[in-house]
Every structure is written in structure tokens, then in C-alpha cells.
Amino acid sequence: MRPFWIAFALIAFCVTPRAEAADVQTILTQRLQGYYDAQKAGDIDKALGFFAKEQQKLFRGEIGDDPDKRKMASDWMQKTAPKSFTVQKVTEDKAAHTASLYTVNEMLDDEGKLAHVEMQTDFVKEGSVWAITGTIFGMNLDAIKRANNDDPEPADAYDDSTSLNIGGPIRRVAFEKDYTLIVIRVLDEEHDLFLPPKAKLKAMGIDPAKLTEGTIVSGDGATSRNDEFKHRIDSLEIQQDSAN
């Protein structure tokens, strides 16, 4: 039965009628909070009211009124409920009537330790309300390997005897006075790419406006001898714009 419980978490959450909030992010955040409240309480019937119609049908077909299955589902819901969540961003496709809410959830991992897990919750608008269609679990941010700090290294700290090519999606960009920092995600690692300040990027053929979260970049340069997650970047290419 465990695979279904995982699916249950992935598809959880529909909406109950209430006054519409001012914007989509606020609405989706309220819906998600409502589901998590029901999940923490282990209230299956209330939680079921947050499912999209198709997911409600699947759940009823699997669980039905069997008391043992309902008890198992209730216990699992409570065990896996996040303690809290923080919204990172929201995306919306108005033509398709869909949206995605990106959050970081504070929850317990399999060992009972506190973890901060990335989550993407997808919604579709059913009539006048938003219903969840699926959830994608991302990385445990506490388990990601990264640089000791985000400070640039001195010029002589980089190993020019070896060549570096590294790429991945941008997680964060900081335009500082003397340099530009781009943090990219590579599997379970985050790497700091150091480039010239914003005013000098165009001379390298880089449009600063395109350095946004989700954009996939690839750079050549050298790695610091002091920190394997820090790199001086001499040339940078945008492989895929976040808008595509």
C-alpha cells in the first residue's frame, strides 16, 4: 500500500469555497495551508475536500470506507505533514488555467531529523476554485553540498593548471560592486560561479537580464584550491532561458 500513500501526498489538495484573495499566490497559499491543517489533524474527510475531482475518485477507489485503510492513511498523513512552509514563487498559465506553487517545507525526514525540502505543487482551476493535480518533491536543502561561504577567492587561489567546464540551472544571482555571483545547482551540489561585475558582463557577451533563476548556464574557468565549490568563470553561455 505504501506506493499509494506516496501518490496520495503527491496529488493532495483541492479547494473549499471561500472569498477569493487578491492574487493567485495568496489564493494557492491559503489552499495549501488549509490542506496541511487537515493533514496535521489526520482528518481524511476534510483533507479529501481539498483534492481535485479526479484525485478524489482515485482515493475513494483505493481506500473506500475500510476502517483499517483509513486509519493507516490518517496516521501516514500526520507523520508526513510539514511543520511549516515558505513560498518561494508562483507560476501561472492563464490560458491553461493551471498554476504551480513552489515552497520549502520544514518536515521530518525518514530518520526523524528536521529537513527543509523543496516542493512544487501543481494546480488546475476547476470552475471557480483551484485544485491540486500533483506535487514534485525536490532536494532536501540541508543535504546539499555547497561552498563554505559565498565570498570570492583571491586571484592566486584558482588553479589555472586544470580546465573547468561546469553548468546547471541558476538558483541565485547577486550583482555585487566588484563581482557577480551566480549559484548553480548540479545534482546534490551548489556551485558558486564568480564573474566580473554587472557593468562588465556585456563585454563578455552576457546579458545580465537573462541571468535569472531557472536559466541553464555553462561556464569555463578555474576552480579554487581552497574550496571545490568556488569557480572563477572566464566565459559563460546561456544554454536555456528560464522563459523557455
Side-chain angles (χ1 to χ4, degrees):
M1 292 284 297
R2 181 174 176 79
F4 177 77
W5 303 126
I6 295 175
F8 175 50
L10 298 183
I11 63 179
F13 164 171
C14 179
V15 288
T16 53
R18 69 170 72 177
E20 291 300 302
D23 60 83
V24 171
Q25 178 169 316
T26 300
I27 295 170
L28 300 186
T29 301
Q30 292 173 345
R31 305 309 193 220
L32 188 57
Q33 183 65 65
Y35 170 71
Y36 285 155
D37 288 344
Q39 186 181 0
K40 290 174 185 176
D43 190 334
I44 292 179
D45 294 324
K46 187 174 182 179
L48 188 58
F50 286 88
F51 288 142
K53 294 177 181 178
E54 183 62 28
Q55 280 69 45
Q56 290 187 36
K57 181 179 178 181
L58 290 172
F59 182 79
R60 289 194 179 98
E62 177 68 24
I63 301 301
D65 295 322
D66 185 296
D68 292 334
K69 290 182 178 181
R70 289 175 63 84
K71 176 65 165 55
M72 187 182 300
S74 177
D75 291 346
W76 189 87
M77 285 170 56
Q78 290 180 291
K79 180 180 179 181
T80 59
K83 294 181 177 295
S84 64
F85 69 95
T86 303
V87 176
Q88 302 298 301
K89 68 174 183 178
V90 64
T91 59
E92 181 185 9
D93 186 335
K94 293 185 177 179
H97 303 291
T98 59
S100 295
L101 190 67
Y102 297 83
T103 63
V104 173
N105 289 12
E106 187 177 74
M107 56 199 303
L108 298 180
D109 62 17
D110 292 337
E111 298 178 353
K113 297 179 181 178
L114 193 64
H116 296 83
V117 180
E118 295 174 323
M119 194 78 71
Q120 175 185 329
T121 306
D122 298 323
F123 299 84
V124 65
K125 202 166 190 180
E126 295 185 331
S128 62
V129 295
W130 287 95
I132 207 170
T133 57
T135 300
I136 300 173
F137 287 82
M139 290 294 301
N140 174 2
L141 298 181
D142 302 321
I144 290 177
K145 305 178 187 71
R146 50 171 63 89
N148 292 324
N149 57 60
D150 290 331
D151 299 331
E153 297 286 295
D156 60 2
Y158 293 97
D159 185 2
D160 290 309
S161 65
T162 60
S163 60
L164 166 79
N165 178 267
I166 190 169
I170 294 177
R171 304 299 298 176
R172 180 164 53 88
V173 177
F175 295 108
E176 304 294 348
K177 179 181 177 181
D178 299 320
Y179 63 91
T180 297
L181 167 66
I182 300 176
V183 181
I184 64 171
R185 178 74 59 81
V186 183
L187 299 177
D188 63 345
E189 300 175 348
E190 287 187 352
H191 291 256
D192 288 1
L193 311 186
F194 292 95
L195 292 88
K198 186 176 182 179
K200 296 184 178 181
L201 291 179
K202 287 190 176 181
M204 297 177 63
I206 303 169
D207 182 355
K210 293 185 177 181
L211 300 179
T212 57
E213 182 182 355
T215 294
I216 298 174
V217 297
S218 176
D220 296 306
T223 298
S224 169
R225 297 184 184 89
N226 303 321
D227 194 323
E228 63 180 310
F229 299 105
K230 291 184 177 183
H231 315 283
R232 184 198 71 224
I233 298 301
D234 302 321
S235 63
L236 188 81
E237 291 186 13
I238 293 178
Q239 303 294 329
Q240 181 179 326
D241 194 291
S242 60
N244 295 330

